[in-house]
Amino acid sequence: MKFHRGSIPYVGQVNLKVENLERSLAFYKEVIGFKVLSQTERAAQLTADGRTVLLSIEQPDDVIPHQGRTTGLYHFALLLPTRTDLAHIVQHFSRLQIELGASDHLVSEALYLSDPDGNGIEIYRDRAPSEWNWNNDQVEMTVDPLNFQDLLHGVEPQAWQALPADTVMGHIHLHVAELSKTEEFYVHGLGFDVVNRYGAQALFISTGKYHHHIGLNTWNGVGAPKPHDNSVGLKSFTIIYPSEAAREQAALNLKNIGASVVEDNGALATEDPSGNHILLLA
C-alpha cells in the first residue's frame, strides 16, 4: 500500500450521490463490507478501518437517476491487501449471486460490479511492483480474463465479515469529454504523470510510478456533457498531497494553466475540464 500514503499524491476519498440512501447503505454494508463511520438522514460516511473515510454517499434533494453518456464516474476502485482477500470476496459474491465482470490487468487482478444506482465499482489486488513491466515511463497493462480457478485454488471458504482494515481507495476512473486539455490539467496542474496511453481513448496517470491512481477515458463520447447537478453519480473525490507546500504548488500550477481553485471548507476545490469536482487536501 506504499502508493497510497505519505510522500506522493494519491486519491483518498470518493463522494457519491445516490437515489435512495437506505438502499445504498444496505448494499455497501452487506455486499461490499463497509462499516458506517457516521450517518445523518441524508448522508453516510463509510470506512474499512473504523477511522478513515473511503466513501461517502449522499441523497440530494430532488435527486434524479443516473444519466447516460455524460462525464463523471466510470468506477472507483477499492484495493485489497492480499490475493487471499480477493478470493474471499469472490466466494462472498458467489454466495450472493452477484453479477461480476473480471480482468487480469498484468499489474493487478480485478472484479467489477455496480451499486444499485449504476455507480461502477472495481475491487482488486495488486501484483508486486517487481512484476510490473515498464517500457521507459509506460507500464504494460492489458485486459485478459481473470483465472478464477487459480485465484481460488487452496483458499478455504469462509464467511465474509467485512472489508479488510487495510483496504484503501486504490484509484478512480473517470469519463471525460476530451483528453488534450484533460492531460494538461492533471499533469501540468495536479502533478501526475501519464503512465499508459490506451490508444486515443484513455489515459492512465499516477505519481511515484504506481500503475495508475486515476484513469481518464472518452468512452461516453468526445464532447460528452456534464450530468445534472442532482443526478446520481460522482459528487467529488479528494487528492491527498504529502504536505501543505505540495498542495499549494498544485493550486498555483492549476491557476497558471487557467483552472479555477477556490476554498471549500478547508479544502481547495477545483474542476477538471469535464466538470469532475476535486478537493485538494494535505
Side-chain angles (χ1 to χ4, degrees), residues 4 11 14 75-79 108 112 122 124 168-173 210-215:
H4 301 87
V11 175
V14 172
H75 62 244
F76 67 87
L78 299 170
L79 173 58
S108 63
Y112 296 92
E122 177 182 343
Y124 73 110
V168 298
M169 187 63 68
H171 63 266
I172 191 169
H173 195 153
Y210 189 51
H211 55 73
H212 67 294
H213 290 106
I214 301 174

PDB file of all heavy atoms in Angstrom, residues 4 11 14 75-79 108 112 122 124 168-173 210-215:
ATOM      1  N   HIS A   4      -0.187   4.659  -1.594  1.00  0.00           N
ATOM      2  CA  HIS A   4      -1.401   5.313  -1.119  1.00  0.00           C
ATOM      3  C   HIS A   4      -1.195   5.904   0.275  1.00  0.00           C
ATOM      4  O   HIS A   4      -2.088   5.877   1.126  1.00  0.00           O
ATOM      5  CB  HIS A   4      -2.565   4.319  -1.113  1.00  0.00           C
ATOM      6  CG  HIS A   4      -2.829   3.744  -2.468  1.00  0.00           C
ATOM      7  ND1 HIS A   4      -2.172   2.620  -2.938  1.00  0.00           N
ATOM      8  CD2 HIS A   4      -3.634   4.152  -3.477  1.00  0.00           C
ATOM      9  CE1 HIS A   4      -2.582   2.356  -4.171  1.00  0.00           C
ATOM     10  NE2 HIS A   4      -3.470   3.276  -4.514  1.00  0.00           N
ATOM     11  N   VAL A  11      -5.347   9.360  -4.517  1.00  0.00           N
ATOM     12  CA  VAL A  11      -6.789   9.553  -4.319  1.00  0.00           C
ATOM     13  C   VAL A  11      -7.168   9.007  -2.949  1.00  0.00           C
ATOM     14  O   VAL A  11      -6.852   7.861  -2.612  1.00  0.00           O
ATOM     15  CB  VAL A  11      -7.593   8.847  -5.423  1.00  0.00           C
ATOM     16  CG1 VAL A  11      -9.092   8.940  -5.139  1.00  0.00           C
ATOM     17  CG2 VAL A  11      -7.264   9.456  -6.780  1.00  0.00           C
ATOM     18  N   VAL A  14     -13.841   9.085  -2.154  1.00  0.00           N
ATOM     19  CA  VAL A  14     -14.789   9.310  -3.241  1.00  0.00           C
ATOM     20  C   VAL A  14     -16.153   9.622  -2.623  1.00  0.00           C
ATOM     21  O   VAL A  14     -16.580   8.961  -1.668  1.00  0.00           O
ATOM     22  CB  VAL A  14     -14.871   8.083  -4.167  1.00  0.00           C
ATOM     23  CG1 VAL A  14     -16.006   8.230  -5.179  1.00  0.00           C
ATOM     24  CG2 VAL A  14     -13.533   7.876  -4.885  1.00  0.00           C
ATOM     25  N   HIS A  75     -15.652   4.220 -12.645  1.00  0.00           N
ATOM     26  CA  HIS A  75     -15.689   3.424 -11.424  1.00  0.00           C
ATOM     27  C   HIS A  75     -14.713   3.983 -10.398  1.00  0.00           C
ATOM     28  O   HIS A  75     -13.778   4.695 -10.744  1.00  0.00           O
ATOM     29  CB  HIS A  75     -15.393   1.938 -11.680  1.00  0.00           C
ATOM     30  CG  HIS A  75     -14.030   1.641 -12.238  1.00  0.00           C
ATOM     31  ND1 HIS A  75     -13.833   1.093 -13.490  1.00  0.00           N
ATOM     32  CD2 HIS A  75     -12.780   1.801 -11.726  1.00  0.00           C
ATOM     33  CE1 HIS A  75     -12.541   0.942 -13.714  1.00  0.00           C
ATOM     34  NE2 HIS A  75     -11.872   1.363 -12.659  1.00  0.00           N
ATOM     35  N   PHE A  76     -14.971   3.680  -9.143  1.00  0.00           N
ATOM     36  CA  PHE A  76     -13.954   3.841  -8.112  1.00  0.00           C
ATOM     37  C   PHE A  76     -13.448   2.453  -7.764  1.00  0.00           C
ATOM     38  O   PHE A  76     -14.149   1.461  -7.955  1.00  0.00           O
ATOM     39  CB  PHE A  76     -14.497   4.579  -6.878  1.00  0.00           C
ATOM     40  CG  PHE A  76     -15.540   3.833  -6.088  1.00  0.00           C
ATOM     41  CD1 PHE A  76     -15.172   2.938  -5.092  1.00  0.00           C
ATOM     42  CD2 PHE A  76     -16.894   4.040  -6.327  1.00  0.00           C
ATOM     43  CE1 PHE A  76     -16.129   2.249  -4.348  1.00  0.00           C
ATOM     44  CE2 PHE A  76     -17.863   3.362  -5.592  1.00  0.00           C
ATOM     45  CZ  PHE A  76     -17.479   2.462  -4.598  1.00  0.00           C
ATOM     46  N   ALA A  77     -12.208   2.383  -7.264  1.00  0.00           N
ATOM     47  CA  ALA A  77     -11.553   1.083  -7.123  1.00  0.00           C
ATOM     48  C   ALA A  77     -11.004   0.899  -5.717  1.00  0.00           C
ATOM     49  O   ALA A  77     -10.169   1.675  -5.252  1.00  0.00           O
ATOM     50  CB  ALA A  77     -10.429   0.950  -8.148  1.00  0.00           C
ATOM     51  N   LEU A  78     -11.473  -0.141  -5.051  1.00  0.00           N
ATOM     52  CA  LEU A  78     -11.011  -0.493  -3.724  1.00  0.00           C
ATOM     53  C   LEU A  78      -9.882  -1.508  -3.834  1.00  0.00           C
ATOM     54  O   LEU A  78     -10.056  -2.574  -4.450  1.00  0.00           O
ATOM     55  CB  LEU A  78     -12.161  -1.077  -2.899  1.00  0.00           C
ATOM     56  CG  LEU A  78     -13.349  -0.140  -2.677  1.00  0.00           C
ATOM     57  CD1 LEU A  78     -14.513  -0.903  -2.061  1.00  0.00           C
ATOM     58  CD2 LEU A  78     -12.955   1.040  -1.799  1.00  0.00           C
ATOM     59  N   LEU A  79      -8.745  -1.183  -3.251  1.00  0.00           N
ATOM     60  CA  LEU A  79      -7.566  -2.042  -3.305  1.00  0.00           C
ATOM     61  C   LEU A  79      -7.480  -2.872  -2.031  1.00  0.00           C
ATOM     62  O   LEU A  79      -7.343  -2.329  -0.926  1.00  0.00           O
ATOM     63  CB  LEU A  79      -6.310  -1.185  -3.465  1.00  0.00           C
ATOM     64  CG  LEU A  79      -4.955  -1.893  -3.370  1.00  0.00           C
ATOM     65  CD1 LEU A  79      -4.829  -3.007  -4.407  1.00  0.00           C
ATOM     66  CD2 LEU A  79      -3.824  -0.888  -3.529  1.00  0.00           C
ATOM     67  N   SER A 108      -2.457  -6.167 -11.919  1.00  0.00           N
ATOM     68  CA  SER A 108      -3.463  -6.411 -10.885  1.00  0.00           C
ATOM     69  C   SER A 108      -4.466  -7.442 -11.367  1.00  0.00           C
ATOM     70  O   SER A 108      -4.526  -7.772 -12.555  1.00  0.00           O
ATOM     71  CB  SER A 108      -4.190  -5.101 -10.536  1.00  0.00           C
ATOM     72  OG  SER A 108      -4.896  -4.608 -11.673  1.00  0.00           O
ATOM     73  N   TYR A 112     -15.387  -6.400 -11.156  1.00  0.00           N
ATOM     74  CA  TYR A 112     -16.179  -5.219 -11.489  1.00  0.00           C
ATOM     75  C   TYR A 112     -17.651  -5.493 -11.227  1.00  0.00           C
ATOM     76  O   TYR A 112     -18.182  -6.548 -11.584  1.00  0.00           O
ATOM     77  CB  TYR A 112     -15.985  -4.835 -12.962  1.00  0.00           C
ATOM     78  CG  TYR A 112     -14.575  -4.411 -13.293  1.00  0.00           C
ATOM     79  CD1 TYR A 112     -13.648  -5.337 -13.756  1.00  0.00           C
ATOM     80  CD2 TYR A 112     -14.159  -3.101 -13.113  1.00  0.00           C
ATOM     81  CE1 TYR A 112     -12.343  -4.961 -14.045  1.00  0.00           C
ATOM     82  CE2 TYR A 112     -12.871  -2.709 -13.395  1.00  0.00           C
ATOM     83  CZ  TYR A 112     -11.965  -3.642 -13.864  1.00  0.00           C
ATOM     84  OH  TYR A 112     -10.671  -3.264 -14.131  1.00  0.00           O
ATOM     85  N   GLU A 122     -14.776  -1.136  -8.813  1.00  0.00           N
ATOM     86  CA  GLU A 122     -13.748  -2.150  -9.020  1.00  0.00           C
ATOM     87  C   GLU A 122     -13.210  -2.552  -7.659  1.00  0.00           C
ATOM     88  O   GLU A 122     -13.021  -1.713  -6.786  1.00  0.00           O
ATOM     89  CB  GLU A 122     -12.611  -1.611  -9.893  1.00  0.00           C
ATOM     90  CG  GLU A 122     -11.459  -2.602 -10.080  1.00  0.00           C
ATOM     91  CD  GLU A 122     -10.307  -2.053 -10.912  1.00  0.00           C
ATOM     92  OE1 GLU A 122     -10.517  -1.042 -11.619  1.00  0.00           O
ATOM     93  OE2 GLU A 122      -9.207  -2.637 -10.847  1.00  0.00           O
ATOM     94  N   TYR A 124      -9.930  -4.874  -6.316  1.00  0.00           N
ATOM     95  CA  TYR A 124      -8.761  -5.511  -6.929  1.00  0.00           C
ATOM     96  C   TYR A 124      -7.654  -5.739  -5.930  1.00  0.00           C
ATOM     97  O   TYR A 124      -7.684  -5.255  -4.796  1.00  0.00           O
ATOM     98  CB  TYR A 124      -8.267  -4.660  -8.097  1.00  0.00           C
ATOM     99  CG  TYR A 124      -7.561  -3.355  -7.770  1.00  0.00           C
ATOM    100  CD1 TYR A 124      -6.191  -3.205  -8.002  1.00  0.00           C
ATOM    101  CD2 TYR A 124      -8.255  -2.243  -7.283  1.00  0.00           C
ATOM    102  CE1 TYR A 124      -5.542  -1.999  -7.747  1.00  0.00           C
ATOM    103  CE2 TYR A 124      -7.616  -1.036  -7.036  1.00  0.00           C
ATOM    104  CZ  TYR A 124      -6.252  -0.926  -7.258  1.00  0.00           C
ATOM    105  OH  TYR A 124      -5.603   0.263  -7.013  1.00  0.00           O
ATOM    106  N   VAL A 168      -7.735   0.281   0.885  1.00  0.00           N
ATOM    107  CA  VAL A 168      -7.603   1.710   0.567  1.00  0.00           C
ATOM    108  C   VAL A 168      -8.354   2.002  -0.727  1.00  0.00           C
ATOM    109  O   VAL A 168      -8.747   1.090  -1.469  1.00  0.00           O
ATOM    110  CB  VAL A 168      -6.124   2.145   0.424  1.00  0.00           C
ATOM    111  CG1 VAL A 168      -5.374   1.936   1.726  1.00  0.00           C
ATOM    112  CG2 VAL A 168      -5.445   1.420  -0.732  1.00  0.00           C
ATOM    113  N   MET A 169      -8.543   3.294  -1.003  1.00  0.00           N
ATOM    114  CA  MET A 169      -9.076   3.702  -2.299  1.00  0.00           C
ATOM    115  C   MET A 169      -7.915   3.634  -3.283  1.00  0.00           C
ATOM    116  O   MET A 169      -7.038   4.492  -3.277  1.00  0.00           O
ATOM    117  CB  MET A 169      -9.663   5.111  -2.223  1.00  0.00           C
ATOM    118  CG  MET A 169     -10.392   5.543  -3.490  1.00  0.00           C
ATOM    119  SD  MET A 169     -11.849   4.524  -3.894  1.00  0.00           S
ATOM    120  CE  MET A 169     -12.968   4.960  -2.549  1.00  0.00           C
ATOM    121  N   GLY A 170      -7.891   2.616  -4.103  1.00  0.00           N
ATOM    122  CA  GLY A 170      -6.742   2.378  -4.970  1.00  0.00           C
ATOM    123  C   GLY A 170      -6.638   3.358  -6.115  1.00  0.00           C
ATOM    124  O   GLY A 170      -5.548   3.851  -6.429  1.00  0.00           O
ATOM    125  N   HIS A 171      -7.774   3.644  -6.766  1.00  0.00           N
ATOM    126  CA  HIS A 171      -7.780   4.626  -7.846  1.00  0.00           C
ATOM    127  C   HIS A 171      -9.212   5.009  -8.178  1.00  0.00           C
ATOM    128  O   HIS A 171     -10.162   4.427  -7.647  1.00  0.00           O
ATOM    129  CB  HIS A 171      -7.054   4.100  -9.100  1.00  0.00           C
ATOM    130  CG  HIS A 171      -7.667   2.897  -9.748  1.00  0.00           C
ATOM    131  ND1 HIS A 171      -7.278   1.607  -9.467  1.00  0.00           N
ATOM    132  CD2 HIS A 171      -8.639   2.773 -10.696  1.00  0.00           C
ATOM    133  CE1 HIS A 171      -7.969   0.746 -10.193  1.00  0.00           C
ATOM    134  NE2 HIS A 171      -8.812   1.432 -10.948  1.00  0.00           N
ATOM    135  N   ILE A 172      -9.350   5.986  -9.043  1.00  0.00           N
ATOM    136  CA  ILE A 172     -10.646   6.365  -9.586  1.00  0.00           C
ATOM    137  C   ILE A 172     -10.500   6.459 -11.096  1.00  0.00           C
ATOM    138  O   ILE A 172      -9.434   6.823 -11.607  1.00  0.00           O
ATOM    139  CB  ILE A 172     -11.146   7.695  -8.981  1.00  0.00           C
ATOM    140  CG1 ILE A 172     -12.617   7.950  -9.343  1.00  0.00           C
ATOM    141  CG2 ILE A 172     -10.265   8.868  -9.396  1.00  0.00           C
ATOM    142  CD1 ILE A 172     -13.247   9.104  -8.570  1.00  0.00           C
ATOM    143  N   HIS A 173     -11.560   6.072 -11.816  1.00  0.00           N
ATOM    144  CA  HIS A 173     -11.551   6.112 -13.277  1.00  0.00           C
ATOM    145  C   HIS A 173     -12.743   6.952 -13.716  1.00  0.00           C
ATOM    146  O   HIS A 173     -13.878   6.709 -13.290  1.00  0.00           O
ATOM    147  CB  HIS A 173     -11.642   4.691 -13.837  1.00  0.00           C
ATOM    148  CG  HIS A 173     -11.291   4.581 -15.281  1.00  0.00           C
ATOM    149  ND1 HIS A 173     -10.780   3.432 -15.844  1.00  0.00           N
ATOM    150  CD2 HIS A 173     -11.379   5.467 -16.310  1.00  0.00           C
ATOM    151  CE1 HIS A 173     -10.569   3.620 -17.133  1.00  0.00           C
ATOM    152  NE2 HIS A 173     -10.937   4.854 -17.439  1.00  0.00           N
ATOM    153  N   TYR A 210       3.254   4.353  -9.632  1.00  0.00           N
ATOM    154  CA  TYR A 210       2.149   3.403  -9.472  1.00  0.00           C
ATOM    155  C   TYR A 210       1.556   3.147 -10.856  1.00  0.00           C
ATOM    156  O   TYR A 210       1.708   3.962 -11.762  1.00  0.00           O
ATOM    157  CB  TYR A 210       1.097   3.984  -8.532  1.00  0.00           C
ATOM    158  CG  TYR A 210       0.019   3.004  -8.123  1.00  0.00           C
ATOM    159  CD1 TYR A 210       0.366   1.751  -7.622  1.00  0.00           C
ATOM    160  CD2 TYR A 210      -1.323   3.316  -8.244  1.00  0.00           C
ATOM    161  CE1 TYR A 210      -0.607   0.843  -7.246  1.00  0.00           C
ATOM    162  CE2 TYR A 210      -2.317   2.424  -7.861  1.00  0.00           C
ATOM    163  CZ  TYR A 210      -1.952   1.180  -7.361  1.00  0.00           C
ATOM    164  OH  TYR A 210      -2.924   0.278  -6.994  1.00  0.00           O
ATOM    165  N   HIS A 211       0.854   2.023 -11.020  1.00  0.00           N
ATOM    166  CA  HIS A 211       0.306   1.745 -12.357  1.00  0.00           C
ATOM    167  C   HIS A 211      -0.806   2.715 -12.731  1.00  0.00           C
ATOM    168  O   HIS A 211      -0.930   3.069 -13.894  1.00  0.00           O
ATOM    169  CB  HIS A 211      -0.135   0.286 -12.502  1.00  0.00           C
ATOM    170  CG  HIS A 211      -1.113  -0.199 -11.483  1.00  0.00           C
ATOM    171  ND1 HIS A 211      -2.432   0.179 -11.475  1.00  0.00           N
ATOM    172  CD2 HIS A 211      -0.961  -1.060 -10.445  1.00  0.00           C
ATOM    173  CE1 HIS A 211      -3.061  -0.438 -10.485  1.00  0.00           C
ATOM    174  NE2 HIS A 211      -2.191  -1.195  -9.835  1.00  0.00           N
ATOM    175  N   HIS A 212      -1.631   3.138 -11.796  1.00  0.00           N
ATOM    176  CA  HIS A 212      -2.458   4.331 -12.011  1.00  0.00           C
ATOM    177  C   HIS A 212      -3.247   4.677 -10.757  1.00  0.00           C
ATOM    178  O   HIS A 212      -3.790   3.807 -10.090  1.00  0.00           O
ATOM    179  CB  HIS A 212      -3.393   4.228 -13.229  1.00  0.00           C
ATOM    180  CG  HIS A 212      -4.498   3.212 -13.142  1.00  0.00           C
ATOM    181  ND1 HIS A 212      -4.290   1.858 -13.093  1.00  0.00           N
ATOM    182  CD2 HIS A 212      -5.859   3.376 -13.147  1.00  0.00           C
ATOM    183  CE1 HIS A 212      -5.462   1.209 -13.047  1.00  0.00           C
ATOM    184  NE2 HIS A 212      -6.419   2.117 -13.070  1.00  0.00           N
ATOM    185  N   HIS A 213      -3.263   5.948 -10.452  1.00  0.00           N
ATOM    186  CA  HIS A 213      -4.138   6.498  -9.423  1.00  0.00           C
ATOM    187  C   HIS A 213      -5.435   7.025 -10.035  1.00  0.00           C
ATOM    188  O   HIS A 213      -6.455   7.117  -9.339  1.00  0.00           O
ATOM    189  CB  HIS A 213      -3.456   7.649  -8.670  1.00  0.00           C
ATOM    190  CG  HIS A 213      -2.334   7.214  -7.778  1.00  0.00           C
ATOM    191  ND1 HIS A 213      -1.005   7.420  -8.088  1.00  0.00           N
ATOM    192  CD2 HIS A 213      -2.331   6.587  -6.577  1.00  0.00           C
ATOM    193  CE1 HIS A 213      -0.239   6.950  -7.118  1.00  0.00           C
ATOM    194  NE2 HIS A 213      -1.023   6.435  -6.183  1.00  0.00           N
ATOM    195  N   ILE A 214      -5.375   7.426 -11.312  1.00  0.00           N
ATOM    196  CA  ILE A 214      -6.548   7.976 -11.995  1.00  0.00           C
ATOM    197  C   ILE A 214      -6.565   7.460 -13.432  1.00  0.00           C
ATOM    198  O   ILE A 214      -5.537   7.471 -14.116  1.00  0.00           O
ATOM    199  CB  ILE A 214      -6.533   9.520 -11.993  1.00  0.00           C
ATOM    200  CG1 ILE A 214      -6.494  10.068 -10.558  1.00  0.00           C
ATOM    201  CG2 ILE A 214      -7.758  10.078 -12.723  1.00  0.00           C
ATOM    202  CD1 ILE A 214      -6.341  11.579 -10.464  1.00  0.00           C
ATOM    203  N   GLY A 215      -7.714   6.987 -13.868  1.00  0.00           N
ATOM    204  CA  GLY A 215      -7.939   6.661 -15.265  1.00  0.00           C
ATOM    205  C   GLY A 215      -8.874   7.695 -15.875  1.00  0.00           C
ATOM    206  O   GLY A 215      -9.773   8.219 -15.197  1.00  0.00           O
TER     207      GLY A 215
END
